[in-house]
Amino acid sequence: MNKKIAIIGGGIVGASAAYYLSSLPGGDQFNVTLFDAGAGQATKAAAGIISPWLSKRRNQQWYQLAKDGATTLMTLARRANLSTDIYHQTGTIITRTNEKDLHDLFILAQERRQDAPDMGTVERLTAAEVKERIPLLTNPQPGIYISGGARIDGEALVTTLLDQAQQVNLTVKRGKVSLDNQGNLITATGQQRFDEIIIAAGPWLNELVEPLGIKVAVRPQKGQLIELAVPDYGSQENMPVLMPEGERDFIPFGHGKLIVGATHDDEAGFNLTATPAATQDLLNSARQFADYLTEGDITRTKVGTRAYTPDFAPFFGRLKGHPKLLVAGGLGASGLTTGPLIGRLLAGTIIYGGTPDWSNYEKPLTNYFS
């Protein structure tokens, strides 16, 4: 008889875990049910950049996770046959206005490339060369180009992964669920039995594990982005993503669409209302580089809630004292980069068993659970 697996949360970790439980060898021995409440999910509101290699975070475990996460996404894009509207390796350009900062960034890129060949080529660009690659810009800055960087549509990625998994062994159920004090899953129709449960509910993780007498060091952060209509250059689908210093990311998509964002609001909690102040902040940032943009060009606003830990590092693994429960959280703004790898690792340990050592990717779970 097939084992029954539950996943709570249909964001990037939950959707990735469901996909790998359906596609890794041995996954056909499992029946998987994913429960998702459908509100506030960070992934559905995210359009992001996959370019972790020049991060100056001191946490080497996070860097290893993000670096290998970028590689995982490259493989996933081919394996799941993702369209370029979902994942596109356009390259990224990281800009600096100070000459020394730009030089130091170029040296760092050359060093990081030694053990990260998926970075691709590294080039130093003048402001004119940056404009040549991103014609949308009116005020370009010099920068470093990394060919391995990519842009990604979080909502479309999750939808595609779940659609493919549903063709194999996944059932998706919309609605809120909870756990009892023994770790059993409770739905609107009562208790349901599962052999193992992955809890990937973002900042709602605390609420879910509270009946177990557990607290998690994770907090919500509101993020908002805007979509704008821009001139539809023939090359726009292949334009690199711009990561400016001190400003919001500038992400050209194809077909005359530009995404700018996202904000980081630590005070709004779970509030999902778009605010005029955040919208103006994003527009002002975009106008630093494309001064023709106006409020009338905004076609859509998205809001989601990220989960952060005090040290800004994600965690994942089997919950101590509750062997059938696996947890993941605290991905923050790097969820689209790290989430697919975390989902694959969790799916792998369910399929193949054992107690894998993930200390190269994360600190002990006891750092976040009490």
Side-chain angles (χ1 to χ4, degrees):
M1 190 168 103
N2 285 3
K3 283 189 174 182
K4 295 177 64 178
I5 309 299
I7 300 173
I8 304 176
I12 189 62
V13 172
S16 298
Y19 171 80
Y20 285 112
L21 281 168
S22 74
S23 61
L24 287 175
D28 56 357
Q29 301 301 309
F30 298 89
N31 292 327
V32 184
T33 305
L34 183 143
F35 300 89
D36 186 70
Q41 184 191 109
T43 307
K44 288 184 179 178
I49 300 170
I50 310 302
S51 187
W53 304 286
L54 297 190
S55 170
K56 292 188 177 180
R57 285 200 198 191
R58 295 172 184 261
N59 184 337
Q60 289 303 305
Q61 290 159 305
W62 175 88
Y63 176 69
Q64 191 66 39
L65 178 69
K67 178 170 72 75
D68 290 354
T71 300
T72 297
L73 265 168
M74 292 178 187
T75 304
L76 176 62
R78 295 190 295 269
R79 182 172 185 157
N81 196 27
L82 300 179
S83 72
T84 54
D85 287 337
I86 300 174
Y87 173 91
H88 195 13
Q89 208 166 315
T90 56
T92 51
I93 297 175
I94 300 95
T95 62
R96 294 289 185 272
T97 53
N98 180 278
E99 173 64 25
K100 182 180 184 304
D101 290 344
L102 190 66
H103 173 75
D104 291 346
L105 192 67
F106 183 67
I107 297 301
L108 176 64
Q110 300 281 33
E111 293 172 352
R112 290 271 174 91
R113 191 174 179 274
Q114 299 304 310
D115 69 346
D118 289 327
M119 282 178 66
T121 59
V122 176
E123 300 176 54
R124 182 167 171 171
L125 304 178
T126 65
E129 290 169 330
V130 169
K131 179 174 174 56
E132 186 176 335
R133 301 203 186 195
I134 310 178
L136 293 171
L137 303 178
T138 56
N139 303 309
Q141 297 174 352
I144 306 300
Y145 171 76
I146 300 172
S147 67
R151 59 166 165 78
I152 189 167
D153 184 323
E155 182 175 12
L157 174 62
V158 162
T159 299
T160 299
L161 295 180
L162 292 180
D163 285 348
Q164 293 189 21
Q166 285 178 92
Q167 296 174 29
V168 182
N169 63 352
L170 175 67
T171 301
V172 175
K173 295 189 176 181
R174 303 298 177 186
K176 193 172 182 179
V177 297
S178 60
L179 300 175
D180 65 17
N181 59 8
Q182 300 299 311
N184 299 306
L185 193 143
I186 311 298
T187 70
T189 58
Q191 180 180 315
Q192 292 190 23
R193 189 195 69 80
F194 290 93
D195 296 289
E196 299 193 69
I197 301 172
I198 295 175
I199 309 172
W204 291 271
L205 177 59
N206 248 318
E207 179 183 333
L208 280 163
V209 300
E210 185 178 6
L212 304 174
I214 295 173
K215 290 185 178 180
V216 192
V218 67
R219 61 175 174 82
Q221 184 192 76
K222 180 180 178 181
Q224 182 172 322
L225 58 76
I226 56 174
E227 293 182 10
L228 302 104
V230 292
D232 190 1
Y233 288 85
S235 62
Q236 190 180 27
E237 185 177 338
N238 301 310
M239 286 184 196
V241 172
L242 187 71
M243 302 174 68
E245 182 180 20
E247 298 291 344
R248 309 304 181 184
D249 293 332
F250 191 97
I251 312 172
F253 275 73
H255 318 299
K257 182 172 78 172
L258 170 70
I259 292 180
V260 178
T263 59
H264 297 76
D265 187 344
D266 291 321
E267 307 301 324
F270 294 95
N271 186 320
L272 295 174
T273 303
T275 65
T279 299
Q280 193 60 51
D281 170 274
L282 293 163
L283 180 61
N284 289 344
S285 180
R287 284 178 52 80
Q288 293 292 318
F289 305 96
D291 57 17
Y292 54 85
L293 293 171
T294 69
E295 191 171 342
D297 295 317
I298 298 174
T299 58
R300 190 180 183 189
T301 302
K302 286 185 173 183
V303 180
T305 309
R306 311 181 188 95
Y308 271 91
T309 56
D311 60 3
F312 303 98
F315 57 79
F316 54 97
R318 202 170 291 277
L319 192 58
K320 185 178 180 180
H322 299 275
K324 78 173 187 177
L325 300 181
L326 295 95
V327 295
L331 278 64
S334 63
L336 290 175
T337 301
T338 60
L341 174 54
I342 292 173
R344 181 169 67 81
L345 293 173
L346 294 177
T349 196
I350 285 177
I351 295 173
Y352 308 120
T355 54
D357 180 7
W358 294 326
S359 58
N360 59 320
Y361 288 145
E362 62 171 344
K363 298 173 185 176
L365 280 184
T366 51
N367 283 27
Y368 310 101
F369 288 79
S370 61

